[in-house]
Amino acid sequence: MSADLRSVDATALAQAFASGETNPAEAMQAALERMERLNPALNAIIHPRPERALAEAADAAARWEQRRNRRPAPQQGVPSSPAITFDGVPMAIKDLGCEQAGEFHHAGAQFLVELGWRGSLDSHLYRLLRSAGMVSVGRTNTPEFGTTITTEPAAYGPTANPWDLTRSPGGSSGGSAAAVAAGIVPVAHGNDGGGSIRVPAAACGLVGLKPSRGRVSTAPRLGEHRGGFAVDGMLTRTVRDAARCLDIISRPAPGDPYVAPPLGTAETFADALAAPPTPLRIAVSTGGPSRATESAQHAVEFAASLLAELGHRIEPDTAPDGWYSSDLVDHTIVVRTVAMSAEMAGWAERLGRPMTADDIEPANWWSAELGRSLPASAYVQSLAELAGWRRRVMSFWKMNPAGRPGTPDPSGYDLLLTPVLADVTPPLGYLADPIDGARRIAELAAFVNQANVSGQPAIALPVAFDPDGVPLGVQLHAAHGGEHLLLAVGQQIADAGGLIPLRDLPAAES
């Protein structure tokens, strides 16, 4: 089993722990050996913690041994089916958010590297992951403060895509995506304030679920993060792992500014995978200010065709009114730049000195300066405009998260299918170009920002390859609180063979 860990998901690994086929100590040793061999080329994990990971994995192995020793013998003809727990499963943590007491936490920023900055507490999210027994191999690379869709920080250098070492793994959770795609760990933490889970999932051939706003708590450090756009989640190899990870991390904390609606009929998100959904009405869109390339359109067409074969009603060239509005872009720029200015002011207060242009990368300094120049009224007005946009587009969806009629129009849509990126992931350096980078990012990422503003859940699914063998992903959007529907349909696609297979990556192995 140890030799095959690169091609199994967390669920299969946990099942192997339960059967005694392997144990967390052996799995962690295999993960660390693979990290040591592959990470020099990938630059995915920038703060490895092998000694602590081995000790925590040994504790998990002892817990599994105790479980097996006290498990009653199965009755004749009745197999034993212990509940699946991710105790001892290796993971990685993005070096942005998900604070860990005593661990390096640099957010891709050179000034924090120079200070040797470490977390002072365990975040609510990390406590949940550790309570489930999951063990981190280390923290992963991220662009400075997670503000772009490629992972090329000046502080740590670029992360390479395991499918093609010359290409970007996406961002800002690119280090986590590369670690999972290369088979170092089966799952990894990420966060998504503008596509930062879905983009690297699409670029690296993974499943990336952006949860609903309020589903995953940012306690205790943060309340509303970047205007409510950002949410934490996980990058996984399979839909079933995405569901089980969401069950682990979706626990509110006291004082959360908002909490996502409850599941409804299913007790857990994993339960939502048990049966395929009834036929759904699914809108499909590849339009907008920058149309998807032929390769990206083919990926969406393939997914739409498969969904139609599975019995769903597909309606092409359909999207909510204003989904691609330029006003949406303008007002999100206001919110993001003001948030960057506030973040820099917070660091200035913590460090006891002003922040300067020498502290952070030029694009983020420009963003902070713009945000600082805007009046408070501009920020409040943009929030109000975005709230109005959100109310308008949400009437497009038929159901609220509990599965009850939730909009004025009961003939609305259940899901929206779009590309994740408008094209295949580009070469390293293409999006980091100081002159044309911002324009290129806007063109490539025309399909991801909407769900961050609306607060809806969206899932990236790897369904195709471009002619060079690089993965292409599509995404499904559901109404706020509708993760169970995304997971059920994602699993339906997986069961029909619609997702690209797990396999070794020659680029990463070479």
Side-chain angles (χ1 to χ4, degrees):
M1 183 74 183
S2 295
D4 294 333
L5 292 179
R6 61 188 179 272
S7 60
V8 299
D9 67 355
T11 298
L13 188 56
Q15 291 168 336
F17 294 163
S19 69
E21 185 179 357
T22 189
N23 64 58
E26 292 175 349
M28 181 55 67
Q29 187 62 49
L32 294 176
E33 289 173 358
R34 194 162 175 84
M35 179 176 69
E36 183 177 7
R37 182 159 55 87
L38 300 182
N39 199 54
L42 295 172
N43 193 31
I45 298 170
I46 54 174
H47 304 310
R49 57 192 302 274
E51 294 83 5
R52 281 163 289 180
L54 285 169
E56 291 169 7
D59 291 341
R63 291 192 294 270
W64 275 109
E65 184 66 23
Q66 291 173 352
R67 290 187 187 98
R68 287 192 295 270
N69 288 339
R70 65 172 179 259
R71 186 190 308 162
Q75 300 177 13
Q76 188 171 2
V78 181
S80 177
S81 300
I84 294 174
T85 169
F86 280 179
D87 192 6
V89 168
M91 65 171 176
I93 300 293
K94 181 180 179 180
D95 195 30
L96 181 67
C98 200
E99 188 172 352
Q100 299 166 266
E103 303 275 357
F104 285 124
H105 193 175
H106 298 157
Q110 184 63 41
F111 78 94
L112 293 176
V113 176
E114 293 168 358
L115 290 168
W117 196 266
R118 294 176 184 266
S120 59
L121 51 81
D122 284 342
S123 65
H124 179 71
L125 174 58
Y126 186 64
R127 290 197 298 268
L128 291 174
L129 293 167
R130 286 297 295 134
S131 294
M134 299 177 74
V135 181
S136 172
V137 302
R139 294 179 72 88
T140 63
N141 203 11
T142 180
E144 187 182 73
F145 297 112
T147 55
T148 186
I149 61 167
T150 187
T151 302
E152 305 179 52
Y156 283 102
T159 294
N161 190 316
W163 292 88
D164 180 343
L165 297 181
T166 69
R167 292 182 185 255
S168 170
S172 62
S173 306
S176 289
V180 176
I184 296 171
V185 290
V187 298
H189 159 257
N191 32 48
D192 193 319
S196 290
I197 287 174
R198 291 161 288 153
V199 168
C204 293
L206 303 174
V207 174
L209 175 64
K210 184 203 91 67
S212 296
R213 180 175 299 152
R215 182 69 71 195
V216 181
S217 175
T218 55
R221 202 62 94 179
L222 299 171
E224 184 177 77
H225 190 209
R226 296 187 182 177
F229 295 170
V231 62
D232 288 277
M234 303 291 282
L235 290 124
T236 65
R237 297 179 189 167
T238 60
V239 176
R240 64 182 186 175
D241 277 5
R244 291 191 169 93
C245 284
L246 191 58
D247 281 325
I248 291 169
I249 65 176
S250 57
R251 300 285 189 275
D256 284 347
Y258 25 63
V259 177
L263 263 169
T265 56
E267 292 186 5
T268 68
F269 289 106
D271 290 338
L273 310 183
T278 57
L280 303 173
R281 189 182 185 199
I282 302 176
V284 180
S285 175
T286 59
S290 62
R291 285 192 62 83
T293 62
E294 185 176 354
S295 292
Q297 289 189 53
H298 284 169
V300 172
E301 290 165 2
F302 166 78
S305 177
L306 180 56
L307 288 166
E309 292 176 9
L310 292 169
H312 301 295
R313 177 182 170 186
I314 304 300
E315 299 191 17
D317 300 320
T318 305
D321 184 39
W323 192 247
Y324 302 106
S325 168
S326 60
D327 289 342
L328 174 70
V329 176
D330 294 341
H331 290 297
T332 58
I333 288 174
V334 171
V335 174
R336 293 181 194 282
T337 57
V338 170
M340 177 55 67
S341 174
E343 194 158 352
M344 292 304 98
W347 279 112
E349 184 176 348
R350 293 172 79 174
L351 301 180
R353 65 166 179 83
M355 299 293 291
T356 73
D358 293 332
D359 288 315
I360 63 174
E361 295 177 23
N364 284 332
W365 181 253
W366 173 88
S367 177
E369 286 288 275
L370 175 59
R372 191 161 32 246
S373 72
L374 294 170
S377 59
Y379 180 75
V380 174
Q381 182 179 359
S382 286
L383 288 179
E385 292 292 335
L386 293 175
W389 176 87
R390 184 164 54 246
R391 290 190 185 280
R392 289 192 299 274
V393 300
M394 287 308 295
S395 64
F396 181 82
W397 273 268
K398 181 191 303 183
M399 295 292 189
N400 72 10
R404 298 184 295 271
T407 70
D409 181 6
S411 63
Y413 293 86
D414 296 290
L415 299 175
L416 170 65
L417 171 66
T418 73
V420 177
L421 291 170
D423 198 359
V424 70
T425 187
L428 288 165
Y430 180 82
L431 299 176
D433 183 272
I435 298 175
D436 294 326
R439 175 184 57 80
R440 292 169 176 175
I441 289 168
E443 292 172 352
L444 193 62
F447 298 96
V448 291
N449 189 47
Q450 294 88 341
N452 295 99
V453 176
S454 69
Q456 295 171 252
I459 191 169
L461 299 169
V463 299
F465 295 101
D466 85 331
D468 294 327
V470 178
L472 284 162
V474 299
Q475 65 179 329
L476 290 166
H477 305 74
H480 183 247
E483 292 96 326
H484 63 292
L485 195 58
L486 297 178
L487 291 163
V489 174
Q491 187 62 48
Q492 192 179 28
I493 292 172
D495 291 341
L499 303 188
I500 65 174
L502 303 176
R503 68 184 191 191
D504 290 341
L505 307 177
E509 293 282 1
S510 60

